[in-house]
Every structure is written in C-alpha cells, then in structure tokens.
Amino acid sequence: GFDLSSDQGRDECAKWLQSAAIGKLTIFNLAVDLHDQLSSEVQVADLQRSFEPKCASVLTLYQLLCDQERPIDCVFNFSSATSILGNGGQSTYGAASAFLDAAHEALFPRASRVLTVNWGVWGDAGKLRDNYQRMQVLKASGLSSHSSEQGLLFIRQLLAGPSRIAGFMNIDAKVLGDRSRVCARFLE
C-alpha cells in the first residue's frame, strides 16, 4: 500500500499507476480512524486525523487516476451511521463521514458511479468486533450489529445498480427516537 497523505506516498503511487496495466477500476474507500473524545475537547489536529484517511486519501487516489486518464467505473465510499445518527465521542469521525455523504457525486465527477453507504455496526468484522462492552452500549442506544454476510450481500446489490447514497443499519427505531428528537424525525 501507499501512504497517500505524504508526498513520497503520492509519488510512489503515481509511478506504480503509470506502470500498472489496469483497465476500468473501482475504488473502495474503507478508511476509518476512530479516536473517541468529547466534542468539547476536539482540536483541529483531531479533525485532520479523521479527514485524512476518510476523505483526503481517496480524493488523492481519485486525482492521481484522473491525471493519468484512467477510467473509473465506481467509487464506493464506506461512510457511517454516525454521520446520520450521531454517536457520543465520535464527532470527528462523524464529520468526515458526513463530508463524504454531502459531497457524494460532486467529489468524483469522472467516475461512472459513486456509491456511499452509511454503515451500521459490523458485528463479526471491523474495529468493534472484539469490543463487547462497546457493542452493548450501541445496542442499548438503538444500534445493533449486522453480519458480514448481510453487508456483503448489500454491497453486491449496490454494485449492480446506479449511483446512490444508502444506509445499512440494524436499528431499533423506538430506542433511537426516544434518544433524540432529531433521530425520531429522521426515522419518520
């Protein structure tokens, strides 16, 4: 892999792309940086820490591919339920995900399709897989996990269709609605 946040990484990636025999391609943006903290404690560096892997790296790769006139079939962004429902302590991650949601197709105009999914909790994969306590807190707040099998099936369905933004979450609408008026209005 290449560290697209550094000049050296971008240069190495650009050289590799020039030499690689690649046809039409799909970019999967699965980047995540969970650094929990209270929003009152967030500094600019914390926002940069979340935006760099989630947003800047995929935009850099996209631009490198465009500079080399490579055809891009699809950009597939893994966003988060956090950008829609909120999640205490994850405001920077939610902000980076919300940026991808809001800019969706505008950021990637030369891609044939752009897919963005606001994922809920992957129960048997990902950063929370082995964090039982955190999984229980999320469940109590109305967000339960889904399996990798369910997530992969959803990915296959999305890849067969047009550009869109979608959410895939195992939620308890009553618990979420009771937790927040904003969530209640969103779930109506």
Side-chain angles (χ1 to χ4, degrees):
F2 303 100
D3 177 5
L4 296 178
S5 66
S6 71
D7 289 337
Q8 178 183 348
R10 283 189 294 274
D11 292 344
E12 289 172 359
C13 183
K15 286 177 189 171
W16 180 83
L17 287 170
Q18 287 174 340
S19 66
I22 302 172
K24 225 174 189 185
L25 54 96
T26 295
I27 300 170
F28 280 89
N29 178 16
L30 286 67
V32 62
D33 179 65
L34 295 178
H35 181 70
D36 293 355
Q37 65 191 103
L38 297 173
S39 58
S40 60
E41 298 171 1
V42 172
Q43 303 292 315
V44 170
D46 300 313
L47 285 166
Q48 289 171 326
R49 180 178 168 172
S50 288
F51 273 77
E52 187 61 43
K54 193 90 178 149
C55 304
S57 293
V58 70
L59 291 169
T60 299
L61 177 57
Y62 172 80
Q63 190 58 55
L64 288 170
L65 292 166
C66 288
D67 290 349
Q68 295 184 17
E69 299 182 6
R70 300 290 181 127
I72 302 168
D73 178 50
C74 181
V75 175
F76 196 123
N77 290 306
F78 277 45
S79 186
S80 173
T82 301
S83 69
I84 297 171
L85 303 174
N87 189 2
Q90 293 185 348
S91 59
T92 59
Y93 177 65
S97 292
F99 174 78
L100 286 177
D101 299 349
H104 184 60
E105 289 183 341
L107 291 175
F108 310 101
R110 291 188 47 200
S112 299
R113 291 176 300 145
V114 180
L115 302 168
T116 300
V117 179
N118 297 97
W119 291 106
V121 179
W122 291 72
D124 55 358
K127 291 210 175 241
L128 296 178
R129 176 184 61 207
D130 297 323
N131 192 334
Y132 179 79
Q133 181 181 2
R134 181 56 164 264
M135 296 282 268
Q136 291 306 306
V137 168
L138 289 169
K139 186 174 183 178
S141 70
L143 188 60
S144 295
S145 65
H146 62 269
S147 69
S148 293
E149 184 178 341
Q150 292 168 318
L152 292 172
L153 178 62
F154 191 65
I155 289 170
R156 282 189 208 102
Q157 291 170 348
L158 288 176
L159 287 171
S163 292
R164 62 182 152 194
I165 299 175
F168 192 83
M169 304 165 218
N170 183 3
I171 61 173
D172 182 328
K174 177 160 179 21
V175 172
L176 281 169
D178 290 347
R179 183 181 96 184
S180 158
R181 279 187 273 146
V182 173
C183 285
R185 290 191 66 202
F186 173 74
L187 296 169
E188 288 178 349

